[in-house]
Structure formats: C-alpha cells, structure tokens
Amino acid sequence: MSATAVHSLWTTAADPITKIDAPKIEYGQLSPTLIVIGAAIIGILVEAFVPRKSRYYVQLFVSVVALAAAFAAVVGLAAGGYGTTKAGIAAMGAIAVDGPSLFLQGTILLAGVLGVFTFAERRLDPVAHGNRVDSFAAQAASVPGSDSEKAAVKAGFTTTEVFPLLLFAIGGMLVFPSANDLLTLFIALEVFSLPLYLLCAVARRKRIMSQEAAVKYFLLGAFASAFTLFGIALLYGYAGSVSYATIAQVVDGTVETVNPALAGTMGNDALLLIGAAMVVMGLLFKVGAVPFHMWTPDVYQGAPTPVTGFMAAATKVAAFGALLRLLYVVLPGLRWDWRPVMMGVAVITMLGGAIVAITQTDIKRLLAYSSIAHAGFILAGVIAATPDGVSSVLFYLGAYSFVTIGAFAVVTLVRDAGGEATHLSKWAGLGRRSPLVAAVFAVFLLAFAGIPLTSGFAGKFAVFKAAAEGGAGSLVVVGVISSAIAAFFYIRVIVLMFFSEPRPEGPTVAVPSPLTMTAIAVGVAVTLVLGVAPQYFLDLAGQAGVFVR
C-alpha cells in the first residue's frame, strides 16, 4: 500500500471531524471556587518548599486570605445581580450561579474561616518539649505510640497539611450545592469527602479512636458514594442525559430530542424512581438523616474536635443545598412520590435524634444526636416544596452552622490531664468554676433547643411555618414534640453546669488564643443577632430562594 493511498485514507477519514470547540468558562462567576482550590494547591506547594518552622504561619495566612477573598467574590457576584436577575448556568452547563448557590457558598466560606481559626489553635494543650501543639497528630503517618511518633513529638513537628485539606474540602462543598449536572455533583461529593476522611484520622490525643472514626466514616461514605453513582447511572439511562434540566424535562414529558441509543429505556419509570431514590439516599447520608445516620455519633466523637465542628456545620450546608436543588429543579414532577417518603424520613430523624440523645453521656455524642434531630427539622422545610420552604432552609442552615462551630469550639476548652474532658459528669459545676465559658455554652444550647431570642428559634419558626403552609401540618406537630424532648437534654446540661457542685479533681478551662475566642464570639454574636433581629436575614434568604432552571 503506497504512502499516497494511506494519506488519502487518512484525509478522507479526517474530513468529517468538525472543529472541537474550546470550552467556554465564566471565570468571574466561578471565582469563589477557583480561589479556594488555587489556595489549596498553593498550600501543597508550601508543604513542599517552605521550611518546617514557618509552614504553620504561611498556611494560616494563605487559608484566611483565600477564604476572605472567596467570600468577597461571592458578595461581589450577589451585588452584581447574579443571585437574582442575572442568575444563570456557567461552565458549559455544569454549575448553576443563582441565589441559593451564592447564599450557601457564603455560609460555607464563613464557616470555613471560623473552622480555620479553631484548626490553628495552639494554646490549649500544655507545651510539649518547648513547642506549642495543636489538636492534630505530630506526624499523621506514624503508628500511634510508636518510636517515630515520640520522635516527631519531641522534634516539635506539626501536621500543617490540615490547612490545604480543609481548603480542598471547602472547594468541593462550594461546588456541591451549585452543581447543575449529576457528574459534577458526584465529583464535588468526592472532592469534599476524601479530605474529611483524612482530617478525621489525625487527632493528637486518642489516636486509635480517631483512626477508627475515620475508617467508619470512609467505609460508610464509600457505600453512600456507590449508591449515588449507581443512581446517577440509572437516571442517565432514564433521561439520556446527566443534565438537571434535561432530566426535569423528561420527567415532565416536555423533552424535544430523544437520544436514539437510549430510546428503549427513556421514560422507564422504574429507572427514574430507583435512580432518584439512590441519589437522594447518598445525600441523606451526608446530611446524617435516620436511617443513614449510623456514622454520625462515632465520627463526631472520634474526630479532632475542630474537625467535628467544621464538618458538622459545613457538610450539612452543602448537602442540604444539593438536596434542595435535586428535589426542586430535577424532580419537581415527582413531588407526589418523594414527599411522603421524605416526610417519613423527617419524622424518624427528628424523633430518633431527640430520643437517643437523652441517653448520651459524652458531650460530643450528645451534639451528634442533636445534629441528627436538626437534620429532621431542616427536612421539614425541604418538604414544604414552596419558595418559603427554600428560604427557611437557607436561613436555618446559616444560623445552625455558626451555633455548631461555636459549641464545638467551647468543647475544646474544657480539659483535663487526658486532653478534652468530654464526659458529661466532668462538666458538673462548670458554671461556678468558669462562669463565662458555661454561659456561652448555655447560649449555644438554648439556640439548639430553639428558645426565643436565639437564632434557633427564628430558624425553627421559619421552617415549621413553611411546612405548615406547604400542607405538612402533621410534620410540624412531630417537630414541636421532638423540640420539647430535645429541650430536656439541652437544659439538663445547663442545670448540670450551673446547679451541681464542682468536683475537686474536675477539669480546667484552658485560656485559648484570640483565634478560638474570635470563633466563639462570632458564634455568640450571630446567634443573638439572628434571634433578636432576624428579619433582614430572612429577607436575604427570601431573595436568594429562587433556583435557576
């Protein structure tokens, strides 16, 4: 065969190929995510090239500056009308830039800043070998109790990789609620889950327990991811596309072009129902709703407390944002199918979280079950299936995230010889020993309980009102009963702190650096401001409550 013949074959084969268009990316609209991911990559380079002595300060600086810049970018986009009139789809249809996504991104970034402050705390533990230490293992790779670990502690090593890991997690969380197709949703899920699995395993004290928590979280998270992926495959088979808009059109029956390769399966309701159920299951796992909550208490108890606080706040915000978009944008045509199921999930989540919390003796486990009950309360707003439902969920998530980070930051302060004193019996009489810390923690507990003049009351009121107006009145009754049960164990902790005799061998309250003080102070301020004057923020959430389709 001559060279000319080969050449002519090649040219004829090549002719029909049209020019591949370069993707059109709206960098300005994606800037919050790009800033955070860029800073995470810089953080990895810092680990490689900056001397060990300086890494902590450089990482802290990079993280705070990046999160502040990303928040400024979110505010700029919102001010430019991208949350309302200019809301649209960016990155070739992969990302939605609209009110809910900007509101949730802003909340996640603020929670991230407070998370960085608690991560960077170095004054709580006593000085070891002349070095200040934080909550994280000296050398995460060394076996707990081994000679290499002791050598790392003696040399004053610190795990500064936690900062880039935190930034990667935040980057994934920013994409998760604004994903506009199922593949982007899945990639964002993995990008924020994998760093969290690692962060759960690097506690300085109780290393084995911390690693056990991480393994449980990883295994159950892998199952949930597999369910999500299988659901995505089934939805693709049903609609012939992973794009939210196309799936919604196929559900409604308004789709114009049918993919001939998938014509046989398109419109097969079994694929739709099973696929949607599996994707929602994966999201309910991230939210910590019963019966997908089994990981929550163990992981919250075993993970380093700063990680627990950040994870409890930010993961809920991201996962509920994704759940809202999935139910309101992709599956509004299935409302009669998903509402009764979600109502059942909400009822068992509210009651399960509140009842089991009563039996807990560890403060971190108690807060874990309380977060499960809160997932049920937030689901009540999701089920409302009205614009008020969306805005009430956005408000609740914003209020809840600050209370949570603040509460876990207070938990890090109460310490004995073995590190944090998390057993409830050790908190007895804390109000006499350290009135300010106990009073601050009491404010957070009252907000969790939903007592008036706290953000928790405003949030619960908004969610229950939306659910009642959306025709889910029975859910509100269950919610009020669960709140009453939950109030019992929150108030019990307050009584324990203020009306019990302090034990002579009880724990001490460490004096934190300004970083943790800031995180706690912001938590208290937001809790009181959203409780006393919530209207501006409710209006903000109301304006941000419209999804772009």
Side-chain angles (χ1 to χ4, degrees):
M1 203 168 179
S2 69
T4 51
V6 172
H7 180 71
S8 67
L9 276 175
W10 182 77
T11 48
T12 50
D15 283 339
I17 295 178
T18 50
K19 191 164 100 290
I20 296 175
D21 293 324
K24 184 168 163 292
I25 305 293
E26 295 83 349
Y27 291 104
Q29 293 175 42
L30 303 178
S31 55
T33 312
L34 296 175
I35 291 169
V36 173
I37 296 286
I41 293 166
I42 292 170
I44 292 175
L45 296 175
V46 167
E47 286 298 313
F49 296 111
V50 172
R52 196 183 283 275
K53 284 260 184 283
S54 321
R55 277 181 210 166
Y56 165 81
Y57 299 102
V58 176
Q59 293 283 25
L60 181 58
F61 176 75
V62 168
S63 305
V64 173
V65 168
L67 293 174
F71 183 72
V74 168
V75 173
L77 287 171
Y82 285 101
T84 46
T85 49
K86 288 194 198 166
I89 309 295
M92 312 273 294
I95 304 279
V97 181
D98 55 9
S101 73
L102 290 177
F103 189 93
L104 293 166
Q105 285 180 343
T107 307
I108 290 165
L109 289 165
L110 289 176
V113 172
L114 298 187
V116 168
F117 286 171
T118 56
F119 274 46
E121 178 55 59
R122 285 189 143 183
R123 287 210 193 149
L124 299 177
D125 266 316
V127 171
H129 304 288
N131 298 297
R132 290 199 164 167
V133 294
D134 53 19
S135 306
F136 302 101
Q139 196 165 24
S142 56
V143 177
S146 65
D147 291 340
S148 69
E149 186 187 42
K150 288 170 189 160
V153 172
K154 201 164 183 180
F157 289 1
T158 51
T159 303
T160 42
E161 306 92 295
V162 293
F163 293 105
L165 283 173
L166 178 73
L167 289 175
F168 276 120
I170 292 171
M173 287 173 185
L174 294 180
V175 177
F176 199 55
S178 49
N180 196 51
D181 67 46
L182 292 168
L183 279 184
T184 310
L185 180 84
F186 181 73
I187 290 166
L189 174 72
E190 292 307 302
V191 168
F192 84 76
S193 296
L194 293 172
L196 288 178
Y197 300 150
L198 286 172
L199 286 170
C200 287
V202 294
R204 179 175 285 274
R205 307 283 185 105
K206 301 181 181 157
R207 292 273 316 269
I208 305 281
M209 191 173 169
S210 163
Q211 291 178 357
E212 181 195 347
V215 170
K216 283 178 179 168
Y217 190 19
F218 171 67
L219 287 176
L220 290 168
F223 274 116
S225 296
F227 273 116
T228 309
L229 200 54
F230 197 52
I232 288 171
L234 294 177
L235 284 175
Y236 177 71
Y238 167 80
S241 170
V242 288
S243 156
Y244 282 6
T246 310
I247 298 171
Q249 285 172 345
V250 178
V251 173
D252 296 341
T254 54
V255 69
E256 285 152 20
T257 54
V258 173
N259 183 335
L262 292 162
T265 56
M266 273 180 84
N268 179 339
D269 284 350
L271 289 179
L272 169 66
L273 292 170
I274 299 169
M278 286 183 141
V279 175
V280 169
M281 202 187 296
L283 294 176
L284 288 176
F285 170 86
K286 279 292 166 203
V287 163
V290 180
F292 313 106
H293 68 295
M294 289 305 182
W295 61 277
T296 312
D298 288 347
V299 173
Y300 277 34
Q301 187 183 6
T305 307
V307 175
T308 308
F310 167 72
M311 192 168 73
T315 309
K316 263 210 182 17
V317 177
F320 267 113
L323 186 65
L324 277 174
R325 192 175 296 278
L326 192 74
L327 295 178
Y328 282 55
V329 175
V330 186
L331 305 171
L334 273 188
R335 185 169 301 162
W336 302 112
D337 294 301
W338 61 252
R339 267 193 77 171
V341 177
M342 295 300 262
M343 281 175 82
V345 170
V347 166
I348 58 171
T349 303
M350 289 191 280
L351 288 173
I355 291 167
V356 181
I358 293 175
T359 63
Q360 299 306 312
T361 56
D362 184 278
I363 196 85
K364 282 167 82 174
R365 284 184 86 85
L366 185 130
L367 290 174
Y369 279 106
S370 123
S371 89
I372 293 169
H374 281 282
F377 299 140
I378 301 171
L379 278 174
V382 175
I383 289 160
T386 58
D388 277 354
V390 179
S391 60
S392 69
V393 169
L394 295 181
F395 178 83
Y396 200 124
L397 288 169
Y400 173 81
S401 53
F402 287 97
V403 182
T404 305
I405 291 184
F408 278 106
V410 173
V411 171
T412 61
L413 304 184
V414 182
R415 309 180 87 80
D416 57 15
E420 287 160 12
T422 55
H423 198 278
L424 270 180
S425 62
K426 304 214 172 141
W427 287 60
L430 192 72
R432 301 185 188 185
R433 183 165 286 162
S434 181
L436 181 63
V437 169
V440 165
F441 197 60
V443 169
F444 291 137
L445 290 173
L446 292 173
F448 280 135
I451 304 297
L453 298 183
T454 63
S455 59
F457 175 76
K460 269 187 190 161
F461 184 80
V463 167
F464 288 160
K465 178 168 170 277
E469 288 171 355
S474 54
L475 204 60
V476 177
V477 176
V478 176
V480 172
I481 293 168
S482 311
S483 294
I485 298 170
F488 165 74
F489 62 79
Y490 295 127
I491 309 267
R492 192 183 70 182
V493 177
I494 295 174
V495 169
L496 183 76
M497 290 193 298
F498 286 101
F499 300 106
S500 305
E501 283 300 322
R503 293 182 174 186
E505 76 286 359
T508 56
V509 174
V511 178
S513 67
L515 293 168
T516 298
M517 284 182 190
T518 307
I520 295 173
V522 170
V524 173
V526 171
T527 303
L528 295 176
V529 168
L530 292 188
V532 177
Q535 199 53 52
Y536 170 75
F537 298 95
L538 283 166
D539 293 345
L540 195 66
Q543 290 163 6
V546 183
F547 288 102
V548 67
R549 281 185 166 69

